[in-house]
Amino acid sequence: MNDELTKVDIEKMKAELEDRRLNIRPKIMEDVKTARAFGDLSENYEYKAAKEAQRRNDSRMRYLERMIATAKVIDAPRTADDVVGLFSTVTMFNEKLGKEQTIRIVTTLRQDALHGLISKESPVAKALMGHKTGDRVEIAVSPEMKYTVEIRSVEPGTDDASLAISSF
């Protein structure tokens, strides 16, 4: 795996893992025990739902453990104020669509494209990184699909821990 994550990402994952072990898992185990007492397990929806919740929780815990164990810890490099870097907020004008868009470049663990949080591993972020306000940048989403944006503004950001980690 070797995802490049910040210390804040690792701390957030450790906190979630501890919460799942100490709080969520015991509650789910109690739900399974209660549902099992209802009787016939073949037609017991509560039991099936409790077991599914247990499997999801165990799966998430394994995922977090694996991510923590294999992550490459990075520091968010400090860039000049008008240069796009990790955690920068970038306002750009998409020439093909004729509209402006604002995104923030984040680690893969905190990406959420619907809210403008774009992974540093995405084609958009890779193309923008290192460019300055006023630069025109071609973004190649695939060999067939390319478009050009003009960087209108760059606000440097920090790894402030305000962004949640993705659920999967």
Side-chain angles (χ1 to χ4, degrees), residues 12-161:
K12 283 180 165 272
M13 286 189 298
K14 286 179 179 178
E16 181 182 341
L17 184 58
E18 184 175 336
D19 181 53
R20 287 183 174 279
R21 275 194 187 122
L22 300 177
N23 300 321
I24 297 172
R25 180 187 253 173
K27 183 192 177 309
I28 291 173
M29 296 302 285
E30 187 61 35
D31 291 347
V32 170
K33 184 179 175 183
T34 301
R36 178 174 284 172
F38 292 156
D40 185 9
L41 298 182
S42 66
E43 295 182 17
N44 186 336
Y45 175 76
E46 289 82 5
Y47 177 76
K48 289 178 183 175
K51 289 299 281 183
E52 179 59 30
Q54 182 182 26
R55 282 189 290 275
R56 273 195 313 271
N57 186 59
D58 290 347
S59 175
R60 178 66 176 175
M61 287 173 50
R62 284 190 304 273
Y63 170 78
L64 291 169
E65 289 167 346
R66 191 170 51 252
M67 288 292 285
I68 291 166
T70 63
K72 177 182 174 193
V73 180
I74 60 168
D75 289 322
R78 183 75 182 129
T79 59
D81 286 348
D82 66 339
V83 176
V84 179
L86 186 58
F87 299 111
S88 292
T89 300
V90 181
T91 302
M92 59 190 171
F93 180 76
N94 185 322
E95 295 176 357
K96 188 174 188 176
L97 298 176
K99 67 179 191 177
E100 210 170 72
Q101 180 181 11
T102 301
I103 63 167
R104 185 170 180 194
I105 299 174
V106 296
T107 58
T108 56
L109 194 62
R110 294 194 239 173
Q111 68 186 355
D112 184 354
L114 295 176
H115 293 99
L117 302 173
I118 306 299
S119 167
K120 69 183 193 67
E121 302 297 325
S122 71
V124 174
K126 284 182 178 180
L128 293 174
M129 296 279 260
H131 286 278
K132 298 180 188 181
T133 302
D135 287 356
R136 290 181 72 236
V137 179
E138 182 178 82
I139 298 172
V141 179
S142 69
E144 301 82 33
M145 184 177 170
K146 298 177 184 177
Y147 60 95
T148 304
V149 298
E150 178 188 340
I151 300 174
R152 296 267 168 101
S153 69
V154 178
E155 295 175 34
T158 59
D159 189 6
D160 59 6

